[in-house]
Amino acid sequence: MAAAWPSRPAAQETVAAQFLGVLWFVSVTTGPWGAAAIAAAGGEETLKCEDLKLGQYICKDPKINDATQEPVNCTNYTAHVPCFPAPNITCKDFSGNETHFTGNEVGFLKPISCRNVNGYSYKVAVALSLFLGWLGADRFYLGYPALGLLKFCTVGFCGIGSLIDFILISMQIVGPSDGSSYIIDYYGTRLTRLSITNETFRKTQLYP
């Protein structure tokens, strides 16, 4: 009986190791890189072309316009980036035509959101508001000539209006008068204005 006790924990560790190995294999073959693992093993996978968007692809980062700091070809608040399916995937469209991908072909274009800018720099607006806000330079720059002239005549409403404008412009609450967005570094810090829409509206819970 004394010799049987050491073998039982060893058997449990073996079973646990085999179980972890099975979980790892399942996670690799069914995850986003499952197709790459199949390709490495020399296999192929046939999918419907619309199924490529389920995760077996890699999308490139958008190409940024230096002047606007937004993705190139941004129209109607939408731009597109190329996505490349994993190697050795064959997709079949609705007509039955098959396309084989080697990893270098563009499978589809993924839409991403972008902003409408019209030449107004966020850094310039903040600098003008900080140093020349008492002269109304920030309001003139953003396209509010009446408020700019009023601030100029009142020396920034005795400094109080200049401070308020500096806070509002820094928080991006006050923007260009034409409704466009500030030019801000694409990979820099940005503020996102939250609003209630049909997708974010919280409905009242009804209890029976």
Side-chain angles (χ1 to χ4, degrees):
M1 295 298 293
W5 286 102
S7 61
R8 187 172 182 181
Q12 291 178 349
E13 291 179 359
T14 302
V15 172
Q18 293 176 351
F19 180 71
L20 291 176
V22 171
L23 287 179
W24 175 85
F25 178 77
V26 171
S27 64
V28 169
T29 55
T30 59
W33 295 100
I38 294 174
E44 295 185 1
E45 186 172 351
T46 302
L47 302 172
K48 293 181 180 179
C49 287
E50 60 268 19
D51 292 338
L52 289 177
K53 300 182 181 181
L54 297 180
Q56 295 180 333
Y57 61 88
I58 297 178
C59 295
K60 286 190 173 182
D61 292 332
K63 185 178 180 181
I64 306 303
N65 188 330
D66 293 334
T68 63
Q69 286 299 308
E70 292 296 321
V72 177
N73 299 326
C74 175
T75 55
N76 296 327
Y77 302 96
T78 304
H80 295 83
V81 294
C83 296
F84 299 85
N88 284 346
I89 281 187
T90 301
C91 79
K92 183 181 296 184
D93 59 16
F94 293 105
S95 301
N97 300 322
E98 293 187 354
T99 303
H100 180 76
F101 295 97
T102 63
N104 299 320
E105 301 89 356
V106 177
F108 62 95
L109 298 177
K110 179 181 179 180
I112 59 173
S113 61
C114 57
R115 304 180 312 147
N116 176 36
V117 297
N118 197 20
Y120 294 96
S121 172
Y122 174 70
K123 295 179 180 179
V124 173
V126 172
L128 290 176
S129 181
L130 178 62
F131 298 106
L132 298 176
W134 59 280
L135 293 176
D138 50 355
R139 288 289 182 170
F140 282 115
Y141 174 74
L142 294 177
Y144 303 96
L147 287 175
L149 182 61
L150 187 59
K151 287 179 67 176
F152 177 80
C153 294
T154 59
V155 191
F157 297 103
C158 299
I160 299 176
S162 299
L163 177 61
I164 294 175
D165 269 355
F166 175 72
I167 295 174
L168 295 178
I169 292 175
S170 299
M171 296 181 65
Q172 301 176 23
I173 296 176
V174 171
S177 61
D178 60 359
S180 62
S181 300
Y182 286 114
I183 297 177
I184 305 176
D185 294 341
Y186 185 80
Y187 294 104
T189 303
R190 297 187 179 190
L191 296 179
T192 302
R193 183 175 298 178
L194 300 179
S195 59
I196 297 177
T197 63
N198 291 332
E199 296 180 356
T200 61
F201 179 72
R202 184 175 179 180
K203 296 182 179 181
T204 304
Q205 182 68 40
L206 299 177
Y207 295 95

